[in-house]
Amino acid sequence: MKKFLVEFLNGIVKENPTFVLLLGLCPTLAVSISVVNGIGMGIAATFVLLGSNIIISLIKNVIPDRIRIPCYIVVIATFVTIAELSMKAYSPVLNRALGIYVPLIVVNCIVLGRAEAYAAKNTVVNSLFDGLGMGIGFTLALILISGIREFLGAGKILGYTLIKGFEPVFVIGMPSGALLVIGLLLGFFNLLKSKRE
Amino acid sequence: MTNKLIVSVSPHLHINESVRKIMWLVVLSLVPAGLAGVFIFGPQALWVILLSVASALVTEGVLQALTKGKVTISDGSAFLTGLLLAYNLPADVPFWIPVVGSAFSIAIGKQVFGGLGQNIFNPALVGRVFLMASWPRYMTIFTKPMIYDAVTQATPLALLKENKILAHISYWDLFLGKRGGCIGEVCILALLLGAIFLLSRGYISWHIPITYIFIVGLFAYVFGPGGFFTGDWLFHILSGGLVLGAFFMATDYVTSPLTQKGQIIFGIGCGLITAVIRLWGGYPEGVSYAILMMNAAAPIIDRYTRNRIYGTK
């Protein structure tokens, strides 16, 4: 059990997809305007990661090595379609807010990266915990970034105004603000890491 | 990293200059423009300048103390950044605008890169563009000159952008600074006094400012509103932040090319971008964006304009 916990925590801290592996930055930059978007994107990506990691680790011995990437994409696309259609059915507002970035999870580097680097070499149970850890790590990173951006860029958290009379920093809500926030957070986490070593 | 032995290339000449001395002399050369700004826009301009400088010094000191570096706020570079940022602000901004802008200039524009000498972009302009993108509402309200009351007026360039008549503004008004604009950019006479001081002492060279201003004037003349070669080039040179930007911000040692050839390319690039933004862009003024873009290009200009090493071909 302890081994699984290590796999699980690996994705959240040591190999956090956003702050350590620097994968999936495109959706991170685009959807981290509000916390709700961040959570929605994180849950969708976690679901896809979990599903694709399990299926790919199951079929890893069956698929020919030379066409493995197209096979992964088919598996991932299946789960993305499930996620997208469910989102359309149960939460159309969120679906509209996330827009093209939900179908684009198909080519999200975190999902493909974990399929190639982990699920194709490890057992089903290990891959399950890896997918879950990576997904939650991604979600937490999105919540952190979108929390900062929503607070500074719109003066709100989860749609509620926190400080009356606060003048939102408009630029933080724009794409350049996303780059700025992610860059500073990355620097901060690297600082923490270098202090520990 | 405390190097007691200073190793440098020959010739080993000693000049009585230091970063500290140059920075404070640049500050000195900017004093007339500040005085003119305070005279033109009234005492609130002085508050903007003081708050901006104080915030820059405090941010620099706090960040250097936090990163356990040497606190070098007395070298004048943070003072200069705060001063230049204030000169780029309208006189009527709320008190927190210069405070936040200066803090951003120093923290993000300079200290994040490693402090003085390491930054890619001119810190004061980073602060200005940040404020411009974040709170455009406050950054584009300009006080009417010589009224000392909260009466606002658009800048001559903004009027030009909206195709309004500019008959009531003479070149003489523009030269002396009787127009709407930022605190430090309006009085061309005072800016030129400071610029001539710096040029005569050799602290800045003519290459960047002259090519910059020449290219903007040339473009404004060639692509005039009434067809080719009809433009009002003198108006374009005297209005906006061109003179302040060309002499005091494009010539920043850290963010401009080192060689004379490179500086001429830098000046031409700044001039082209400014002219394109002013004549065809969405903003009335483009000096700060032009300088920032060319700052990004400065390292590559340096790479291709290296001086020939003596003895090589």
Side-chain angles (χ1 to χ4, degrees):
Chain A
M1 198 59 217
K2 203 182 164 200
K3 195 171 146 270
F4 299 137
L5 195 70
V6 171
E7 299 293 344
F8 178 67
L9 288 177
N10 184 39
I12 296 174
V13 184
K14 211 178 121 212
E15 287 189 21
N16 186 294
T18 306
F19 293 123
V20 181
L21 303 180
L22 294 182
L23 292 176
L25 282 183
C26 170
T28 312
L29 292 168
V31 306
S32 60
I33 298 171
S34 68
V35 178
V36 177
N37 284 7
I39 295 172
M41 184 73 201
I43 290 173
T46 308
F47 169 74
V48 174
L49 257 167
L50 201 59
S52 71
N53 261 15
I54 292 171
I55 299 294
I56 287 165
S57 64
L58 277 172
I59 61 169
K60 62 176 183 282
N61 296 327
V62 191
I63 48 177
D65 207 30
R66 297 178 86 174
I67 56 157
R68 63 186 192 284
I69 301 288
C71 296
Y72 298 163
I73 295 281
V74 172
V75 174
I76 295 165
T78 312
F79 284 101
V80 172
T81 313
I82 297 171
E84 195 196 352
L85 290 179
S86 325
M87 201 182 272
K88 266 190 183 145
Y90 295 107
S91 151
V93 180
L94 184 63
N95 185 64
R96 232 171 290 135
L98 295 178
I100 186 72
Y101 293 98
V102 179
L104 275 182
I105 299 175
V106 176
V107 285
N108 189 315
C109 337
I110 305 171
V111 182
L112 203 59
R114 290 330 280 180
E116 170 76 3
Y118 197 91
K121 294 171 191 139
N122 287 287
T123 61
V124 179
V125 187
N126 277 351
S127 301
L128 185 149
F129 280 101
D130 180 74
L132 200 63
M134 283 286 160
I136 289 172
F138 182 56
T139 313
L140 290 177
L142 273 175
I143 291 173
L144 180 62
I145 297 166
S146 58
I148 294 172
R149 285 187 68 197
E150 191 177 351
F151 175 63
L152 290 177
K156 295 169 178 176
I157 287 287
L158 286 165
Y160 297 103
T161 310
L162 289 187
I163 305 169
K164 273 231 170 92
F166 175 73
E167 303 261 357
V169 192
F170 187 61
V171 73
I172 299 291
M174 295 198 292
S176 47
L179 286 167
L180 203 61
V181 170
I182 291 177
L184 289 175
L185 282 173
L186 258 176
F188 179 68
F189 285 123
N190 280 347
L191 180 75
L192 288 186
K193 214 161 62 180
S194 69
K195 281 251 169 83
R196 196 179 294 166
E197 276 160 9
Chain B
M1 290 285 281
T2 45
N3 285 330
K4 289 277 165 59
L5 179 70
I6 299 163
V7 182
S8 66
V9 292
S10 62
H12 301 282
L13 297 173
H14 181 77
I15 45 168
N16 183 24
E17 300 289 3
S18 62
V19 170
R20 193 193 172 105
K21 187 180 163 198
I22 293 173
M23 288 294 171
W24 284 115
L25 281 174
V26 176
V27 168
L28 183 69
S29 74
L30 280 164
V31 166
L35 289 177
V38 173
F39 178 69
I40 291 164
F41 296 117
Q44 70 256 45
L46 187 65
W47 281 112
V48 172
I49 295 173
L50 289 178
L51 280 170
S52 179
V53 168
S55 163
L57 289 174
V58 168
T59 313
E60 174 117 326
V62 166
L63 282 177
Q64 281 176 336
L66 275 180
T67 51
K68 299 187 177 62
K70 211 173 136 208
V71 177
T72 57
I73 51 172
S74 64
D75 74 356
S77 65
F79 192 99
L80 182 61
T81 299
L83 194 66
L84 279 174
L85 179 75
Y87 282 15
N88 276 295
L89 298 174
D92 242 3
V93 289
F95 76 95
W96 48 270
I97 285 265
V99 175
V100 174
S102 266
F104 189 88
S105 287
I106 296 291
I108 307 293
K110 189 170 154 200
Q111 290 299 336
V112 155
F113 293 100
L116 181 66
Q118 312 285 331
N119 48 306
I120 307 169
F121 299 105
N122 186 320
L125 286 178
V126 169
R128 177 190 147 82
V129 168
F130 167 73
L131 292 174
M132 195 75 188
S134 296
W135 298 284
R137 200 148 54 93
Y138 298 117
M139 293 294 289
T140 48
I141 295 174
F142 296 101
T143 320
K144 197 166 184 179
M146 315 302 281
I147 302 281
Y148 301 155
D149 203 355
V151 181
T152 60
Q153 183 191 40
T155 62
L157 278 173
L159 291 171
L160 186 72
K161 199 105 218 167
E162 293 159 12
N163 290 322
K164 288 196 181 131
I165 313 149
L166 290 159
H168 61 283
I169 296 179
S170 69
Y171 292 134
W172 193 240
D173 283 347
L174 287 174
F175 188 69
L176 290 179
K178 279 164 73 181
R179 64 171 171 96
C182 300
I183 295 167
E185 72 178 21
V186 287
C187 187
I188 307 295
L189 175 68
L191 285 169
L192 284 181
L193 277 179
I196 289 167
F197 170 71
L198 288 180
L199 280 168
S200 66
R201 296 287 293 260
Y203 292 126
I204 58 174
S205 68
W206 59 269
H207 301 84
I208 293 174
I210 299 300
T211 44
Y212 187 176
I213 293 172
F214 175 75
I215 291 288
V216 172
L218 183 74
F219 259 68
Y221 174 60
V222 172
F223 298 100
F228 289 126
F229 305 107
T230 60
D232 190 349
W233 56 273
L234 193 57
F235 170 79
H236 268 274
I237 289 175
L238 291 177
S239 54
L242 181 61
V243 173
L244 176 66
F247 283 103
F248 294 97
M249 292 195 282
T251 53
D252 176 20
Y253 291 139
V254 180
T255 54
S256 65
L258 299 168
T259 60
Q260 297 184 349
K261 218 195 306 175
Q263 291 179 347
I264 288 175
I265 297 172
F266 186 87
I268 292 173
C270 287
L272 277 175
I273 299 171
T274 305
V276 165
I277 293 175
R278 277 192 186 179
L279 295 173
W280 298 289
Y283 286 107
E285 173 63 312
V287 168
S288 41
Y289 301 101
I291 297 174
L292 284 176
M293 279 189 217
M294 289 312 288
N295 282 165
I300 206 161
I301 294 173
D302 267 338
R303 175 174 293 187
Y304 287 105
T305 56
R306 268 186 208 158
N307 286 331
R308 188 176 63 90
I309 297 166
Y310 183 67
T312 60
K313 282 197 175 167

